[in-house]
Every structure is written in C-alpha cells, then in structure tokens.
Amino acid sequence: MESVSVIKKNQIFSRNDIDKMEKGFKVNFINSLSGFKSANLIGTQSEEGINNLCIVSSVFHLGSSPPLFGMIIRPHTVTRDTIENIQATGQYTINHVNTHIITAAHQTSARYDKHVNEFDETNLSETFTQNCKAPYVEEANIKMGLQLCEIKHLDINTTELVIGEVIEVVTDQDLNLEDGYLDIEKAETACVSGLDSYHQTQRIDRFSYAKPGKDIKSIW
Amino acid sequence: MESVSVIKKNQIFSRNDIDKMEKGFKVNFINSLSGFKSANLIGTQSEEGINNLCIVSSVFHLGSSPPLFGMIIRPHTVTRDTIENIQATGQYTINHVNTHIITAAHQTSARYDKHVNEFDETNLSETFTQNCKAPYVEEANIKMGLQLCEIKHLDINTTELVIGEVIEVVTDQDLNLEDGYLDIEKAETACVSGLDSYHQTQRIDRFSYAKPGKDIKSIW
C-alpha cells in the first residue's frame, strides 16, 4: 500500500487493505480519519518537582455540569510521564496550542528522559496559580487547571481514558464572551490533522439552535 | 455571569464562578475550552429500516492497530436514536462534515421524532456499500463504516463512550495520500468550536517526527 499517492473518487479501502498497510503509513492514515483534532499541551509536575509538558490531540469535552474533559493516554509512549505525574499529584493543566507556538508544542512530543523538563527544552514558559500544583504554559491564551476524577483503563487497546474536572480557567488575552461562547479563533488556537499537520482556522459561521421545520439562522 | 462580554488578560474564572454561570451560558463556555473539535455526521439505521443522521463533535482517534474510534453520546438528548440504532444493528458510519454542507449538518442536531429520516429533512443524500448496513452521506468526501466494539457507560455523568472498529473507508474526491496522511484540508473537512461555530482551516505546516535535541523540519 506504500505506493498509493492519489486516492481516486469513490475508492474503497477495505479492512483487509488497511490491515496490510505498512505500520507508519497506517498510523498516518487512521489518524487522519476522525477529522480535525484539538491541540493542547498537558502540564504536570512529578512528585520530585520536575515539570513536564506534552502535546496531546485527544482532549475532548465530556460534560458541562460538572465541567469535565477526557483525554486518551498511551502509557507506553512519550505520554508515560504525564500519566504517572497525574496519578501522583492528582492535578494537570490543559493549555491551548496557538499558531505562534506550534513548533515548540510539536517538540514536546519527543521522547525526553523522565528527568528532563520540556519547558526548558522548548523555551515555553512555566507559570503557576495559587490553586493548581501543575504548571501552566504562559504563552497559551486559554488554559485550565484540572483535578483528576478517574482513569479508566480501556482493555480493547490498553489505552487509558483520563477524566478530569475543571478547577479554574485562565485567559491571557482580551477575548469576547457574549453568550458564554469563547472565541478560540480570536485566541489563535490551532488544530491538528493526522499526527503532525497544524492548521489555523477561519470561521464560516455560527448557527442558531436547530429545531425541526425551522430554518437555521446565522448568529455571528 | 451573563453580563460578561470581554474577558481581560490574566482573568481567572474559579470553579465557583463557573458553577454560578447560567446553564446555557455555561454550556457554551465549557464547550469552547477543549479547542477545535471534529465535525462528523453519524449515519445509522433502525431495526425498522428508518435511516438516521446526527452531527457529533466528539469523535476521536483511539488507536490504529486495530483502527478504533471513540465518541461520546448523551443518551437523553437528540443522539438517543443514534445509540439505540447502533445497539440494534451493531453498525454505523462516520462522515466528515465539509464546508459545503455545514448548514444541513447543523440541522441534524434538531430533535426530530424517531420516525423521521434526517436525510429527507436536510436534503443530504443516502448512499450504501455492500459491507455496511448503515447509510453513508454521499456529499461527505471522507467516510468510514464501523462495527460496534463496545459501549462503556461513564458513571461520572451518565454519558456513553461508543467504541467502534473501522470496517471500510470510502473517499469521494481525488486526495493525496503520500505517507498515509490523508489531506483532510483538501477534502474541505470543517471543524467546530463551542456548540455551533463552524470553521474552515488553512495549513500552517506539517512537521517531522520530534526527537530530543533535534530541530523540527517542515515536511510539507
């Protein structure tokens, strides 16, 4: 399958085609299929006080009351330190990657030794608040502190679903907040496709609440 | 909290501030915090043969070998029919929302009666393959058929994590596929922020695999 360079219209990849793909090729392919992904830096601190920073593209909204977010961690990869620190301290931060820090953010995906502080290696700046033991990324325009709620082991592929509750939200830019919607595009939040492609966004529209038989209106 | 219109630099929202927000305001706020989200239409069919279509912004990559995707479903909302159909038939489709179909895609979030086919209501077109019982969205340039693996009930907020395995991938546009990375920006895949804001993307760069002490290179 390595030689495929253009997919033709109406082409079907069967599961058998996918299973036969070379490993790296398959990882790129499957990672592209869910659509655009959030780009967040996870800040943690070890019991020994060493700060850790790691980019994660799997943070997702789980609920608003209480405010909960989930993320998928692969314990045998570069995110191992992250999950160990979360288990040890119970806290972590989620920091939006913005378009100005994508290179530094991507660099945090390198397999640094457990005793290396990725903030030092990437020139991103640590900052703290009174309420959270984990470090924030100063350059991130939107950041939040979380308290670990639970870690669910997913037997199906030995990944961990980390669920945390928001303890505070910190913004580092003047941002509109009209009906609660926070303009993350104005905050220059980036998104990711596949494993390594970074994108900025351009709003097409915001839409009214949809109802059967009623036309949708622009609310932007 | 309803009156906040501009967040100032270095403003902190405590958990107490968040808990005091009006319900709709809070839902918009919390939904904005995880960053950009994928925009996918989930196609299902009921046991009675009625097709269903529903937009979901919670699809995420869970693993590549085997190819697994997760999504969060709230069983007491508009996605109730979706999860009932998945439980009944064991299959569903994930279809990328592209920038040309965002209005129709958003309309599928209306609370239609169980016996209404959202394809008819939105003028999106049903299409089928031999391998999947669930309907695809013809207008979607990237789509995949999934077999249900498991539904994990998340006690923490009574949501359901639906995990499925890819059975096939269908593309409806000529797309580059060099190292496995599928150019979803060329496919005009949209992304979502908050509950109702739709965005197109512009690639900034693709980066090489990160290694400690090694500079990241552009690979685009």
PDB file of all heavy atoms in Angstrom, chain B residues 175-199:
ATOM      1  N   LEU B 175      -7.739  12.616  -3.644  1.00  0.00           N
ATOM      2  CA  LEU B 175      -6.991  13.131  -2.499  1.00  0.00           C
ATOM      3  C   LEU B 175      -5.583  12.566  -2.487  1.00  0.00           C
ATOM      4  O   LEU B 175      -5.377  11.411  -2.828  1.00  0.00           O
ATOM      5  CB  LEU B 175      -7.680  12.726  -1.190  1.00  0.00           C
ATOM      6  CG  LEU B 175      -9.003  13.410  -0.865  1.00  0.00           C
ATOM      7  CD1 LEU B 175      -9.631  12.761   0.347  1.00  0.00           C
ATOM      8  CD2 LEU B 175      -8.783  14.894  -0.610  1.00  0.00           C
ATOM      9  N   ASN B 176      -4.643  13.387  -2.081  1.00  0.00           N
ATOM     10  CA  ASN B 176      -3.276  12.887  -1.955  1.00  0.00           C
ATOM     11  C   ASN B 176      -3.151  11.991  -0.736  1.00  0.00           C
ATOM     12  O   ASN B 176      -3.814  12.197   0.269  1.00  0.00           O
ATOM     13  CB  ASN B 176      -2.296  14.055  -1.797  1.00  0.00           C
ATOM     14  CG  ASN B 176      -2.253  14.888  -3.047  1.00  0.00           C
ATOM     15  OD1 ASN B 176      -2.342  14.358  -4.154  1.00  0.00           O
ATOM     16  ND2 ASN B 176      -2.141  16.188  -2.867  1.00  0.00           N
ATOM     17  N   LEU B 177      -2.310  11.002  -0.840  1.00  0.00           N
ATOM     18  CA  LEU B 177      -2.066  10.083   0.263  1.00  0.00           C
ATOM     19  C   LEU B 177      -0.622   9.643   0.127  1.00  0.00           C
ATOM     20  O   LEU B 177      -0.329   8.625  -0.480  1.00  0.00           O
ATOM     21  CB  LEU B 177      -3.028   8.890   0.167  1.00  0.00           C
ATOM     22  CG  LEU B 177      -2.982   7.881   1.293  1.00  0.00           C
ATOM     23  CD1 LEU B 177      -3.657   8.429   2.541  1.00  0.00           C
ATOM     24  CD2 LEU B 177      -3.671   6.590   0.881  1.00  0.00           C
ATOM     25  N   GLU B 178       0.306  10.448   0.650  1.00  0.00           N
ATOM     26  CA  GLU B 178       1.708  10.169   0.370  1.00  0.00           C
ATOM     27  C   GLU B 178       2.317   9.179   1.350  1.00  0.00           C
ATOM     28  O   GLU B 178       2.682   8.081   0.996  1.00  0.00           O
ATOM     29  CB  GLU B 178       2.495  11.479   0.326  1.00  0.00           C
ATOM     30  CG  GLU B 178       2.229  12.182  -1.003  1.00  0.00           C
ATOM     31  CD  GLU B 178       2.807  13.568  -1.096  1.00  0.00           C
ATOM     32  OE1 GLU B 178       3.703  13.876  -0.297  1.00  0.00           O
ATOM     33  OE2 GLU B 178       2.348  14.342  -1.958  1.00  0.00           O
ATOM     34  N   ASP B 179       2.393   9.582   2.596  1.00  0.00           N
ATOM     35  CA  ASP B 179       2.954   8.692   3.615  1.00  0.00           C
ATOM     36  C   ASP B 179       1.832   8.133   4.489  1.00  0.00           C
ATOM     37  O   ASP B 179       2.048   7.764   5.633  1.00  0.00           O
ATOM     38  CB  ASP B 179       3.990   9.443   4.461  1.00  0.00           C
ATOM     39  CG  ASP B 179       3.424  10.727   5.048  1.00  0.00           C
ATOM     40  OD1 ASP B 179       2.219  10.997   4.831  1.00  0.00           O
ATOM     41  OD2 ASP B 179       4.147  11.463   5.730  1.00  0.00           O
ATOM     42  N   GLY B 180       0.641   8.098   3.928  1.00  0.00           N
ATOM     43  CA  GLY B 180      -0.519   7.620   4.667  1.00  0.00           C
ATOM     44  C   GLY B 180      -1.399   8.768   5.114  1.00  0.00           C
ATOM     45  O   GLY B 180      -2.606   8.611   5.293  1.00  0.00           O
ATOM     46  N   TYR B 181      -0.767   9.956   5.279  1.00  0.00           N
ATOM     47  CA  TYR B 181      -1.515  11.149   5.698  1.00  0.00           C
ATOM     48  C   TYR B 181      -2.514  11.529   4.612  1.00  0.00           C
ATOM     49  O   TYR B 181      -2.154  11.703   3.450  1.00  0.00           O
ATOM     50  CB  TYR B 181      -0.551  12.310   5.956  1.00  0.00           C
ATOM     51  CG  TYR B 181      -1.267  13.612   6.223  1.00  0.00           C
ATOM     52  CD1 TYR B 181      -1.925  13.830   7.422  1.00  0.00           C
ATOM     53  CD2 TYR B 181      -1.311  14.616   5.259  1.00  0.00           C
ATOM     54  CE1 TYR B 181      -2.603  15.019   7.662  1.00  0.00           C
ATOM     55  CE2 TYR B 181      -1.976  15.808   5.492  1.00  0.00           C
ATOM     56  CZ  TYR B 181      -2.628  15.996   6.690  1.00  0.00           C
ATOM     57  OH  TYR B 181      -3.301  17.174   6.920  1.00  0.00           O
ATOM     58  N   LEU B 182      -3.754  11.645   5.017  1.00  0.00           N
ATOM     59  CA  LEU B 182      -4.834  11.977   4.095  1.00  0.00           C
ATOM     60  C   LEU B 182      -5.109  13.468   4.241  1.00  0.00           C
ATOM     61  O   LEU B 182      -5.325  13.951   5.347  1.00  0.00           O
ATOM     62  CB  LEU B 182      -6.052  11.150   4.522  1.00  0.00           C
ATOM     63  CG  LEU B 182      -7.266  11.077   3.629  1.00  0.00           C
ATOM     64  CD1 LEU B 182      -6.930  10.507   2.257  1.00  0.00           C
ATOM     65  CD2 LEU B 182      -8.314  10.191   4.307  1.00  0.00           C
ATOM     66  N   ASP B 183      -5.070  14.194   3.140  1.00  0.00           N
ATOM     67  CA  ASP B 183      -5.186  15.653   3.204  1.00  0.00           C
ATOM     68  C   ASP B 183      -6.650  16.059   3.432  1.00  0.00           C
ATOM     69  O   ASP B 183      -7.379  16.365   2.483  1.00  0.00           O
ATOM     70  CB  ASP B 183      -4.626  16.271   1.922  1.00  0.00           C
ATOM     71  CG  ASP B 183      -4.513  17.789   2.028  1.00  0.00           C
ATOM     72  OD1 ASP B 183      -5.011  18.356   3.019  1.00  0.00           O
ATOM     73  OD2 ASP B 183      -3.929  18.394   1.116  1.00  0.00           O
ATOM     74  N   ILE B 184      -7.053  16.083   4.705  1.00  0.00           N
ATOM     75  CA  ILE B 184      -8.457  16.389   5.009  1.00  0.00           C
ATOM     76  C   ILE B 184      -8.765  17.866   4.796  1.00  0.00           C
ATOM     77  O   ILE B 184      -9.921  18.242   4.686  1.00  0.00           O
ATOM     78  CB  ILE B 184      -8.877  15.917   6.425  1.00  0.00           C
ATOM     79  CG1 ILE B 184      -8.173  16.687   7.546  1.00  0.00           C
ATOM     80  CG2 ILE B 184      -8.628  14.422   6.587  1.00  0.00           C
ATOM     81  CD1 ILE B 184      -8.739  16.387   8.932  1.00  0.00           C
ATOM     82  N   GLU B 185      -7.728  18.692   4.725  1.00  0.00           N
ATOM     83  CA  GLU B 185      -7.981  20.101   4.378  1.00  0.00           C
ATOM     84  C   GLU B 185      -8.366  20.225   2.902  1.00  0.00           C
ATOM     85  O   GLU B 185      -9.278  20.963   2.558  1.00  0.00           O
ATOM     86  CB  GLU B 185      -6.757  20.957   4.696  1.00  0.00           C
ATOM     87  CG  GLU B 185      -7.003  22.436   4.426  1.00  0.00           C
ATOM     88  CD  GLU B 185      -5.941  23.307   5.068  1.00  0.00           C
ATOM     89  OE1 GLU B 185      -5.965  23.486   6.291  1.00  0.00           O
ATOM     90  OE2 GLU B 185      -5.062  23.792   4.318  1.00  0.00           O
ATOM     91  N   LYS B 186      -7.686  19.476   2.045  1.00  0.00           N
ATOM     92  CA  LYS B 186      -8.049  19.467   0.617  1.00  0.00           C
ATOM     93  C   LYS B 186      -9.472  18.919   0.442  1.00  0.00           C
ATOM     94  O   LYS B 186     -10.203  19.319  -0.466  1.00  0.00           O
ATOM     95  CB  LYS B 186      -7.045  18.612  -0.167  1.00  0.00           C
ATOM     96  CG  LYS B 186      -7.214  18.772  -1.670  1.00  0.00           C
ATOM     97  CD  LYS B 186      -6.245  17.928  -2.481  1.00  0.00           C
ATOM     98  CE  LYS B 186      -6.636  17.994  -3.959  1.00  0.00           C
ATOM     99  NZ  LYS B 186      -6.104  16.860  -4.714  1.00  0.00           N
ATOM    100  N   ALA B 187      -9.850  18.009   1.332  1.00  0.00           N
ATOM    101  CA  ALA B 187     -11.209  17.459   1.304  1.00  0.00           C
ATOM    102  C   ALA B 187     -12.228  18.437   1.883  1.00  0.00           C
ATOM    103  O   ALA B 187     -13.407  18.122   1.966  1.00  0.00           O
ATOM    104  CB  ALA B 187     -11.252  16.136   2.077  1.00  0.00           C
ATOM    105  N   GLU B 188     -11.751  19.610   2.296  1.00  0.00           N
ATOM    106  CA  GLU B 188     -12.595  20.684   2.833  1.00  0.00           C
ATOM    107  C   GLU B 188     -13.368  20.282   4.094  1.00  0.00           C
ATOM    108  O   GLU B 188     -14.448  20.795   4.360  1.00  0.00           O
ATOM    109  CB  GLU B 188     -13.535  21.223   1.748  1.00  0.00           C
ATOM    110  CG  GLU B 188     -12.762  21.843   0.596  1.00  0.00           C
ATOM    111  CD  GLU B 188     -13.664  22.335  -0.536  1.00  0.00           C
ATOM    112  OE1 GLU B 188     -14.142  21.496  -1.314  1.00  0.00           O
ATOM    113  OE2 GLU B 188     -13.872  23.548  -0.615  1.00  0.00           O
ATOM    114  N   THR B 189     -12.789  19.369   4.843  1.00  0.00           N
ATOM    115  CA  THR B 189     -13.365  18.989   6.131  1.00  0.00           C
ATOM    116  C   THR B 189     -13.442  20.208   7.053  1.00  0.00           C
ATOM    117  O   THR B 189     -12.489  20.982   7.135  1.00  0.00           O
ATOM    118  CB  THR B 189     -12.493  17.879   6.767  1.00  0.00           C
ATOM    119  OG1 THR B 189     -12.549  16.718   5.922  1.00  0.00           O
ATOM    120  CG2 THR B 189     -12.980  17.508   8.162  1.00  0.00           C
ATOM    121  N   ALA B 190     -14.573  20.391   7.709  1.00  0.00           N
ATOM    122  CA  ALA B 190     -14.779  21.520   8.623  1.00  0.00           C
ATOM    123  C   ALA B 190     -14.448  21.107  10.048  1.00  0.00           C
ATOM    124  O   ALA B 190     -14.313  19.921  10.354  1.00  0.00           O
ATOM    125  CB  ALA B 190     -16.228  21.995   8.551  1.00  0.00           C
ATOM    126  N   CYS B 191     -14.290  22.102  10.920  1.00  0.00           N
ATOM    127  CA  CYS B 191     -14.194  21.799  12.344  1.00  0.00           C
ATOM    128  C   CYS B 191     -15.128  22.729  13.112  1.00  0.00           C
ATOM    129  O   CYS B 191     -15.690  23.675  12.552  1.00  0.00           O
ATOM    130  CB  CYS B 191     -12.760  21.854  12.846  1.00  0.00           C
ATOM    131  SG  CYS B 191     -11.925  23.414  12.647  1.00  0.00           S
ATOM    132  N   VAL B 192     -15.328  22.425  14.390  1.00  0.00           N
ATOM    133  CA  VAL B 192     -16.329  23.087  15.217  1.00  0.00           C
ATOM    134  C   VAL B 192     -15.648  23.666  16.446  1.00  0.00           C
ATOM    135  O   VAL B 192     -14.706  23.085  16.974  1.00  0.00           O
ATOM    136  CB  VAL B 192     -17.397  22.054  15.674  1.00  0.00           C
ATOM    137  CG1 VAL B 192     -18.351  22.651  16.686  1.00  0.00           C
ATOM    138  CG2 VAL B 192     -18.162  21.508  14.486  1.00  0.00           C
ATOM    139  N   SER B 193     -16.124  24.838  16.891  1.00  0.00           N
ATOM    140  CA  SER B 193     -15.768  25.283  18.239  1.00  0.00           C
ATOM    141  C   SER B 193     -17.048  25.604  18.983  1.00  0.00           C
ATOM    142  O   SER B 193     -18.051  26.000  18.378  1.00  0.00           O
ATOM    143  CB  SER B 193     -14.816  26.482  18.195  1.00  0.00           C
ATOM    144  OG  SER B 193     -15.455  27.635  17.718  1.00  0.00           O
ATOM    145  N   GLY B 194     -16.998  25.415  20.296  1.00  0.00           N
ATOM    146  CA  GLY B 194     -18.216  25.564  21.075  1.00  0.00           C
ATOM    147  C   GLY B 194     -19.263  24.593  20.579  1.00  0.00           C
ATOM    148  O   GLY B 194     -18.943  23.483  20.145  1.00  0.00           O
ATOM    149  N   LEU B 195     -20.517  25.024  20.613  1.00  0.00           N
ATOM    150  CA  LEU B 195     -21.611  24.147  20.196  1.00  0.00           C
ATOM    151  C   LEU B 195     -21.989  24.355  18.740  1.00  0.00           C
ATOM    152  O   LEU B 195     -22.586  23.473  18.133  1.00  0.00           O
ATOM    153  CB  LEU B 195     -22.870  24.458  21.020  1.00  0.00           C
ATOM    154  CG  LEU B 195     -22.922  23.915  22.426  1.00  0.00           C
ATOM    155  CD1 LEU B 195     -24.225  24.346  23.076  1.00  0.00           C
ATOM    156  CD2 LEU B 195     -22.809  22.395  22.418  1.00  0.00           C
ATOM    157  N   ASP B 196     -21.668  25.529  18.179  1.00  0.00           N
ATOM    158  CA  ASP B 196     -22.357  25.921  16.950  1.00  0.00           C
ATOM    159  C   ASP B 196     -21.518  26.768  16.006  1.00  0.00           C
ATOM    160  O   ASP B 196     -22.053  27.344  15.072  1.00  0.00           O
ATOM    161  CB  ASP B 196     -23.615  26.706  17.328  1.00  0.00           C
ATOM    162  CG  ASP B 196     -23.306  27.761  18.413  1.00  0.00           C
ATOM    163  OD1 ASP B 196     -22.171  28.294  18.414  1.00  0.00           O
ATOM    164  OD2 ASP B 196     -24.186  28.033  19.247  1.00  0.00           O
ATOM    165  N   SER B 197     -20.202  26.856  16.219  1.00  0.00           N
ATOM    166  CA  SER B 197     -19.361  27.669  15.344  1.00  0.00           C
ATOM    167  C   SER B 197     -18.587  26.741  14.409  1.00  0.00           C
ATOM    168  O   SER B 197     -17.912  25.813  14.862  1.00  0.00           O
ATOM    169  CB  SER B 197     -18.404  28.525  16.179  1.00  0.00           C
ATOM    170  OG  SER B 197     -17.649  29.366  15.330  1.00  0.00           O
ATOM    171  N   TYR B 198     -18.696  27.005  13.101  1.00  0.00           N
ATOM    172  CA  TYR B 198     -18.078  26.144  12.088  1.00  0.00           C
ATOM    173  C   TYR B 198     -16.924  26.882  11.417  1.00  0.00           C
ATOM    174  O   TYR B 198     -17.041  28.060  11.098  1.00  0.00           O
ATOM    175  CB  TYR B 198     -19.122  25.725  11.049  1.00  0.00           C
ATOM    176  CG  TYR B 198     -20.158  24.801  11.651  1.00  0.00           C
ATOM    177  CD1 TYR B 198     -21.251  25.302  12.364  1.00  0.00           C
ATOM    178  CD2 TYR B 198     -20.021  23.428  11.560  1.00  0.00           C
ATOM    179  CE1 TYR B 198     -22.179  24.450  12.946  1.00  0.00           C
ATOM    180  CE2 TYR B 198     -20.947  22.565  12.139  1.00  0.00           C
ATOM    181  CZ  TYR B 198     -22.024  23.089  12.825  1.00  0.00           C
ATOM    182  OH  TYR B 198     -22.928  22.248  13.412  1.00  0.00           O
ATOM    183  N   HIS B 199     -15.838  26.171  11.199  1.00  0.00           N
ATOM    184  CA  HIS B 199     -14.604  26.788  10.711  1.00  0.00           C
ATOM    185  C   HIS B 199     -14.005  25.975   9.576  1.00  0.00           C
ATOM    186  O   HIS B 199     -14.094  24.752   9.565  1.00  0.00           O
ATOM    187  CB  HIS B 199     -13.559  26.864  11.842  1.00  0.00           C
ATOM    188  CG  HIS B 199     -14.062  27.514  13.088  1.00  0.00           C
ATOM    189  ND1 HIS B 199     -13.677  28.768  13.478  1.00  0.00           N
ATOM    190  CD2 HIS B 199     -14.943  27.084  14.031  1.00  0.00           C
ATOM    191  CE1 HIS B 199     -14.289  29.091  14.619  1.00  0.00           C
ATOM    192  NE2 HIS B 199     -15.063  28.085  14.974  1.00  0.00           N
TER     193      HIS B 199
END
